[in-house]
Amino acid sequence: GENVEQHPSTLSVQEGDSAVIKCTYSDSASNYFPWYKQELGKGPQLIIDIRSNVGEKKDQRIAVTLNKTAKHFSLHITETQPEDSAVYFCAATRGDSNYQLIWGAGTKLIIKP
Amino acid sequence: DAGVTQSPTHLIKTRGQQVTLRCSPKSGHDTVSWYQQALGQGPQFIFQYYEEEERQRGNFPDRFSGHQFPNYSSELNVNALLLGDSALYLCASSLLGGQGLYGYTFGSGTRLTVV
């Protein structure tokens, strides 16, 4: 069935450095790719998203890139700060459905002071 | 502007019992989706409600059922609880009418423990 693979499962970076998290999806009909940040005891919070007709999107220190041919999309965080420490999830729509997201397993990002 | 509100925040039930979880969507939203998140994993889609009807369902057994009320709030019911139902249950609201999944807002979840 459809799935989303996310790597790495844990990422530790020095404060101020950049962090990159990568995801691969299987369903070529997927057309929407959000990224969520989940802090301990809280629900996921949307931080950035991209649609299949766009290759890159940037919002301040956060950017997402999409390669539809390779079915890869990545999250880039620059100038990391301690408050960036959290679990990050990528997701993709099940086909072109407006109803379902298929999620990656998550990446625990640790920012070292 | 209140976000998505879920209740209760924590719940402990015994195997075989039934449980009801509640969700109030963000003001202005009309669609509610429910997800199950096991420890250390990504959320799994259970189902979505719009106009008081179940629009789509994930790969969950019939023990999982739901309801949406005229004020857009929603309930998730789980019957005959199993130990494996222990998880964080997340409610997400959004505004349909062309938006679909865009603008998903999650609540903080209900932590269900089955003993």
Side-chain angles (χ1 to χ4, degrees), chain A residues 36-85:
Chain A
Y36 288 88
K37 175 183 181 182
Q38 188 172 26
E39 296 174 296
L40 202 60
K42 297 185 179 180
Q45 178 187 11
L46 178 70
I47 56 172
I48 196 167
D49 56 10
I50 193 167
R51 303 185 191 189
S52 58
N53 58 348
V54 175
E56 184 174 359
K57 182 176 179 181
K58 191 173 182 180
D59 182 5
Q60 299 182 337
R61 296 187 297 110
I62 295 174
V64 56
T65 58
L66 172 65
N67 182 330
K68 285 180 58 180
T69 303
K71 290 190 273 187
H72 288 167
F73 59 114
S74 300
L75 176 71
H76 304 253
I77 305 175
T78 59
E79 301 173 5
T80 52
Q81 301 169 3
E83 54 264 37
D84 294 330
S85 294

Side-chain angles (χ1 to χ4, degrees), chain A residues 11-20 80 109-113:
Chain A
L11 179 60
S12 182
V13 302
Q14 205 70 38
E15 181 179 350
D17 287 350
S18 296
V20 180
T80 52
L109 177 62
I110 301 167
I111 307 300
K112 298 179 290 185

Side-chain angles (χ1 to χ4, degrees), chain A residues 32 38 43-44 98-100 103, chain B residues 37 45 48 55-56 102 107:
Chain A
Y32 174 63
Q38 188 172 26
N98 266 348
Y99 308 119
Q100 294 190 42
W103 296 64
Chain B
Q37 186 177 22
F45 176 77
Q48 183 185 79
R55 292 173 63 90
Q56 193 80 357
Y102 315 138

Side-chain angles (χ1 to χ4, degrees), chain B residues 11-30:
Chain B
L11 201 53
I12 300 175
K13 288 286 189 178
T14 303
R15 191 171 43 184
Q17 285 188 316
Q18 178 265 344
V19 67
T20 298
L21 310 182
R22 295 177 174 82
C23 172
S24 293
K26 181 179 178 179
S27 178
H29 284 183
D30 59 7

